[in-house]
Amino acid sequence: MLLVELQGDTMYELRDRLAVLVDEIRDQLGLAFAALTTVQRRQRDMFWRLSRRVIPRVYQLKGNARALPFVEDFRVPLQALPAVLSEIQAALQAEQITAFVFAHAGHGQLHVRPFLDLADESARRRLRGLSERISDTVWRHEGTVSAEHASGLSRSWLLPRQYGEVWRAMPEVKRLFDPSNRFNPGKITGASLQTADENLRLVTPQIDILGNPGTTPKAAEPQQEYQEDEAEPGRWQLTVLQNWQPDSSIDRAVRQCNGCGRCRTTAPEQRQCPVFRVLPTEEATPRSKANLLRGIITGELSPETLQGDRAKAVADLCFHCHQCRLECPAAVDIPKIASEIKGQHVQVNGLPVSEMLVCRFDAWAPLLSRFPWLTNQVLTGRFSRWLLERFLGISGARRLPLITGNTFMRYAARRRLTRPLRQSGRKVVYFTDYFANYHDPAIGRALVEVLLQNRVGVYVPLKQLYSGMSQISHGDLKTAKKLAVNNVRLLADAVRQGYQIVATEPAAALCLKHEYLNLLDDEDARLVAENTHEACRYLWDMHRRNELTLDFRPVPTTVAYHQPCHVRAIDDGNPGPLLMDLIPGLTVHAIDAGCSGMAGTWGMQKKNYRNSLRIGWPMISALRDLSAPLAASECAACRMQIEHGVDSAVVHPLKLLAYAYGRMPEVGNLFM
């Protein structure tokens, strides 16, 4: 693909120049089979964004071979570019190597990245020879091996040959300005410069990985998480706790992280990594989790490291917002890697009592909901809150959601929604999850009212359990898998009967669509994932098919909308504000100010309270500046953070839809 941008004094001149270029390249020279031109700014920007996404997409290719940047970023005179490309192609063909080529052709600059598998010893041996051969080609045509991104360690050993006598002066210049040798000591101008095949990242597994479909272990029946191989002393075994498919086995997953450092970004247009933004240490970066697990797999660290508190502390710096998985150029599933590290630690050491009680609070909820007056006294009383902070680690500064005795399940039973439907046509099974059942049943009621308004049948299975997202985030994978088995079996049967699955809590939808696939390797889990929808997405898709009733009454108010991280993780659109925009009179302002910082139970803990507010402060500040009378978000934890930091009512978008349909008039009390 060749991308060319032209300029002209008039639109006529610009169109004429584009037509001449297309005629010459495509029609006369036959160098292209198709051409697309535009004079629209939006399309032009889209083309440039496409070009910037080329290298990240290459990182995501499957397989062991990776596009390695050890000979890239060289520049030659423009007239020599065709000859240089031909000679480089010949060098690659001689070595039987495929390469990816990306060029700033107008400047004579080339990025050449050969695909090599560093686990293959023969591929590692070819690194230096290929680097020398391509560099000689560049120098022969009066080019340079470092044009745009400087030299780096992979090309610094070539610099003495490139600069000749001038190179001798460079260490002296550095010594004048850095007499103490504090800046990059031993790098670039050091006494010995590493070659392209030295100091390579270890990628070959040095332990037997058991329970992983992508590997063939030597021992068949290990009884412990770690044990030494009797036939080969010193070789360890690691039994993985999650489902790692052959094309994305655990060793391939950690290799996929190339250490580019994109996860260290603090750019406002990206969300990764919320924790690193307030704790700018290497341990807080998403790549540190991949580095830790790769170190164990390649033998740099003992598998017993996973039993220690240090590894757990590094993994606990991930609260599973999944933003790194979305924005990583190589699409590394860091949350899954962090879950494996946490799960390995918990399997050996168990959960601390405080974490066990916090992440299993939903197991206590059925009993607590029978005595809501007593439970809410505990949740609000000063002395009881001191006890919760002292023994459970729940911050006393947090306003905890009250529990209700009139749960959504009881409401559903009264409405006879717990009986399977016999009707044909559109029908959904509502996966309620914890918060909408025990804390805010009005969310579930709003969904039911909106669906019934649109003649969609609703079924609420009584035997469903909570999603288990809190267990996954704390590393209690054993409990999470039990929950997944129950829910998948129940929901898969419903899908086979013609239902679609709808969840109002984004974390629950994320579990069904993504996390359960990491815990279970069966067709039912895949069936559930393919037929699960976050509630706003389900309704917006109905609207796009002209199936959504639009008889809304006006709602004359302004609402500020925050998109939760888990909605971004499962949906590349933004259906919440789009749905609210359908309501006459309602002004919707989407706030794009990063993560709320709550992250479920993570933000409730005393040890995380300050960092939770620091992460969410840009969002809180943006909401305060807007001063809207009402805020909206699909995530229960995000709504808690907004209520904590902003003096305005917060609702789920479904409540506004139900109110606009005239079905839940009490919602109007929040802003009227």
Side-chain angles (χ1 to χ4, degrees), residues 399-455:
R399 183 169 57 184
L400 300 180
L402 301 181
I403 204 163
T404 179
N406 187 21
T407 66
F408 175 78
M409 283 299 186
R410 294 172 187 170
Y411 162 83
R414 290 196 303 269
R415 292 283 300 269
R416 299 184 178 181
L417 301 175
T418 55
R419 300 179 181 180
L421 300 173
R422 297 181 180 178
Q423 71 182 53
S424 59
R426 295 191 303 269
K427 53 184 180 180
V428 304
V429 54
Y430 176 33
F431 186 66
T432 309
D433 207 41
Y434 166 73
F435 194 88
N437 189 27
Y438 294 106
H439 293 290
D440 195 357
I443 296 174
R445 286 177 47 220
L447 175 67
V448 170
E449 297 296 344
V450 171
L451 291 175
L452 294 180
Q453 176 78 17
N454 289 277
R455 299 179 181 179

Side-chain angles (χ1 to χ4, degrees), residues 341-516:
I341 297 172
K342 295 177 186 179
Q344 296 286 348
H345 182 276
V346 170
Q347 179 166 288
V348 175
N349 301 283
L351 281 172
V353 175
S354 60
E355 288 189 19
M356 181 182 66
L357 293 175
V358 168
C359 77
R360 296 182 183 176
F361 188 75
D362 32 21
W364 296 79
L367 175 62
L368 299 178
S369 66
R370 295 180 180 275
F371 310 99
W373 57 272
L374 178 60
T375 303
N376 292 333
Q377 286 252 338
V378 173
L379 295 177
T380 56
R382 180 175 298 180
F383 178 69
S384 57
R385 288 303 305 273
W386 178 84
L387 291 175
L388 290 175
E389 181 173 287
R390 179 68 176 82
F391 295 104
L392 297 185
I394 298 177
S395 173
R398 282 287 179 200
R399 183 169 57 184
L400 300 180
L402 301 181
I403 204 163
T404 179
N406 187 21
T407 66
F408 175 78
M409 283 299 186
R410 294 172 187 170
Y411 162 83
R414 290 196 303 269
R415 292 283 300 269
R416 299 184 178 181
L417 301 175
T418 55
R419 300 179 181 180
L421 300 173
R422 297 181 180 178
Q423 71 182 53
S424 59
R426 295 191 303 269
K427 53 184 180 180
V428 304
V429 54
Y430 176 33
F431 186 66
T432 309
D433 207 41
Y434 166 73
F435 194 88
N437 189 27
Y438 294 106
H439 293 290
D440 195 357
I443 296 174
R445 286 177 47 220
L447 175 67
V448 170
E449 297 296 344
V450 171
L451 291 175
L452 294 180
Q453 176 78 17
N454 289 277
R455 299 179 181 179
V456 179
V458 183
Y459 169 44
V460 184
L462 282 174
K463 294 184 179 180
Q464 62 176 295
L465 301 175
Y466 43 92
S467 67
M469 190 64 186
S470 58
Q471 282 75 17
I472 293 171
S473 62
H474 283 85
D476 187 6
L477 300 183
K478 183 178 180 180
T479 301
K481 188 170 184 178
K482 291 179 180 178
L483 298 172
V485 168
N486 177 87
N487 290 330
V488 164
R489 182 176 62 249
L490 184 71
L491 296 174
D493 288 343
V495 171
R496 292 189 182 96
Q497 296 172 29
Y499 292 91
Q500 290 292 294
I501 305 165
V502 171
T504 51
E505 185 61 44
L510 178 64
C511 274
L512 298 180
K513 292 182 70 68
H514 183 79
E515 298 291 356
Y516 282 5

Side-chain angles (χ1 to χ4, degrees), residues 521-532:
D521 180 22
D522 57 43
E523 289 300 324
D524 282 357
R526 286 183 279 274
L527 183 65
V528 168
E530 292 166 1
N531 291 276
T532 293

Side-chain angles (χ1 to χ4, degrees), residues 64 91 388 469 559 582 640:
N64 291 330
L388 290 175
M469 190 64 186
V559 60
L582 299 177
M640 289 175 60

Side-chain angles (χ1 to χ4, degrees), residues 142-434:
E142 300 181 347
T144 176
V145 296
S146 51
E148 182 182 9
H149 303 301
S151 301
L153 292 178
S154 63
R155 294 185 296 277
S156 60
W157 68 286
L158 298 169
L159 298 184
R161 293 178 58 188
Q162 175 167 287
Y163 292 109
E165 293 296 324
V166 178
W167 174 256
R168 296 182 180 181
M170 292 187 179
E172 299 299 326
V173 173
K174 182 178 186 300
R175 196 172 293 115
L176 288 173
F177 289 92
D178 182 23
S180 300
N181 198 27
R182 293 182 178 180
F183 301 143
N184 268 355
K187 308 288 182 65
I188 310 299
T189 59
S192 61
L193 302 176
Q194 68 179 37
T195 59
D197 57 351
E198 293 179 333
N199 196 26
L200 297 177
R201 174 176 290 179
L202 297 177
V203 296
T204 305
Q206 299 298 319
I207 64 174
D208 292 328
I209 303 171
L210 309 177
N212 188 351
T215 61
T216 304
K218 293 184 177 181
E221 296 181 355
Q223 298 298 318
Q224 297 181 358
E225 188 177 353
Y226 320 103
Q227 71 180 57
E228 293 192 37
D229 192 328
E230 296 179 0
E232 192 173 343
R235 190 173 180 92
W236 289 83
Q237 299 171 349
L238 172 66
T239 302
V240 295
L241 303 177
Q242 297 180 96
N243 173 34
W244 299 90
Q245 292 297 321
D247 61 343
S248 58
S249 59
I250 189 170
D251 51 316
R252 288 187 179 182
V254 296
R255 282 182 58 186
Q256 199 169 348
C257 174
N258 55 36
C260 69
R262 181 71 64 85
C263 54
R264 296 176 61 93
T265 181
T266 56
E269 63 270 14
Q270 295 187 357
R271 283 203 186 184
Q272 69 164 339
C273 162
V275 176
F276 176 76
R277 289 171 186 262
V278 299
L279 294 174
T281 62
E282 182 60 28
E283 290 83 355
T285 62
R287 71 179 180 183
S288 68
K289 288 73 178 173
N291 288 336
L292 172 60
L293 197 52
R294 184 180 57 251
I296 291 167
I297 291 174
T298 58
E300 293 181 280
L301 300 172
S302 166
E304 292 180 331
T305 304
L306 293 176
Q307 301 178 12
D309 294 336
R310 176 69 171 171
K312 180 67 159 50
V314 172
D316 280 344
L317 292 173
C318 171
F319 54 50
H320 296 260
C321 68
H322 284 257
Q323 300 312 290
C324 57
R325 179 173 62 86
L326 296 182
E327 298 175 354
C328 171
V332 184
D333 195 345
I334 294 296
K336 185 176 182 180
I337 293 172
S339 289
E340 187 69 41
I341 297 172
K342 295 177 186 179
Q344 296 286 348
H345 182 276
V346 170
Q347 179 166 288
V348 175
N349 301 283
L351 281 172
V353 175
S354 60
E355 288 189 19
M356 181 182 66
L357 293 175
V358 168
C359 77
R360 296 182 183 176
F361 188 75
D362 32 21
W364 296 79
L367 175 62
L368 299 178
S369 66
R370 295 180 180 275
F371 310 99
W373 57 272
L374 178 60
T375 303
N376 292 333
Q377 286 252 338
V378 173
L379 295 177
T380 56
R382 180 175 298 180
F383 178 69
S384 57
R385 288 303 305 273
W386 178 84
L387 291 175
L388 290 175
E389 181 173 287
R390 179 68 176 82
F391 295 104
L392 297 185
I394 298 177
S395 173
R398 282 287 179 200
R399 183 169 57 184
L400 300 180
L402 301 181
I403 204 163
T404 179
N406 187 21
T407 66
F408 175 78
M409 283 299 186
R410 294 172 187 170
Y411 162 83
R414 290 196 303 269
R415 292 283 300 269
R416 299 184 178 181
L417 301 175
T418 55
R419 300 179 181 180
L421 300 173
R422 297 181 180 178
Q423 71 182 53
S424 59
R426 295 191 303 269
K427 53 184 180 180
V428 304
V429 54
Y430 176 33
F431 186 66
T432 309
D433 207 41
Y434 166 73

